Amino acid sequence: KSHDEYEEYQKQLVEEKMARDADFLHKKAERATLRVCLREKYRLPKSEQDDNMIEMAGDDVDVPEELLKMVDEDATEEEGKDSIFGQIQNLQNMDMDQLKEKATATVSELKSKAEEKCSVM
């Protein structure tokens, strides 16, 4: 009796592992699909590895909705920044005092780095 139970248990383990592996493969293919979308969007070279991953998983791979939304939001944000209106908006959002502080901090940082280099020589 215990031998049959053991066989059944082993069979169950194998089935669970196969299900996990299938899920894992599917997730990897979803990620690969997302990377393909991003590569097309930013005109980056294609990745053979991603293409192979998608092929292995079959054609039923879709990028999860949440991820697609994030890519779209990112694209809309980028487009907004690229337009002149978007750039003016960014300038208005920046405070002049903030800009002065940032510039001063950058200049003093550069000075201290230059002084460090000079004192070493």
Side-chain angles (χ1 to χ4, degrees):
K1 182 185 175 187
S2 63
H3 183 72
D4 289 342
E5 284 175 358
Y6 179 74
E7 291 286 316
E8 187 62 37
Y9 176 68
Q10 288 296 85
K11 197 172 117 185
Q12 200 177 338
L13 282 181
V14 169
E15 285 171 3
E16 285 173 11
K17 185 183 183 325
M18 284 169 64
R20 278 197 311 273
D21 288 349
D23 284 347
F24 184 61
L25 185 69
H26 192 77
K27 286 277 184 223
K28 283 175 88 169
E30 283 178 349
R31 289 190 200 109
T33 308
L34 181 68
R35 285 194 296 269
V36 168
C37 290
L38 288 171
R39 281 199 185 90
E40 284 171 6
K41 178 181 159 193
Y42 293 112
R43 297 180 188 83
L44 298 170
K46 285 188 159 115
S47 158
E48 252 181 66
Q49 197 177 358
D50 284 347
D51 292 341
N52 294 342
M53 181 60 61
I54 294 167
E55 229 171 83
M56 273 171 53
D59 293 332
D60 61 338
V61 176
D62 291 318
V63 180
E65 274 303 308
E66 315 89 75
L67 291 179
L68 273 180
K69 275 185 195 156
M70 284 166 56
V71 173
D72 286 343
E73 282 169 16
D74 187 36
T76 319
E77 235 173 70
E78 289 296 319
E79 286 163 15
K81 283 181 191 164
D82 289 344
S83 72
I84 302 253
F85 180 70
Q87 287 176 354
I88 292 170
Q89 202 74 33
N90 281 347
L91 284 176
Q92 286 174 344
N93 292 346
M94 282 196 109
D95 189 9
M96 282 318 272
D97 292 334
Q98 241 182 339
L99 283 173
K100 282 180 192 167
E101 276 175 32
K102 201 170 187 179
T104 311
T106 307
V107 168
S108 52
E109 191 182 321
L110 288 173
K111 267 188 191 170
S112 65
K113 279 187 182 167
E115 284 166 6
E116 276 174 33
K117 284 183 181 167
C118 292
S119 65
V120 170
M121 290 178 183

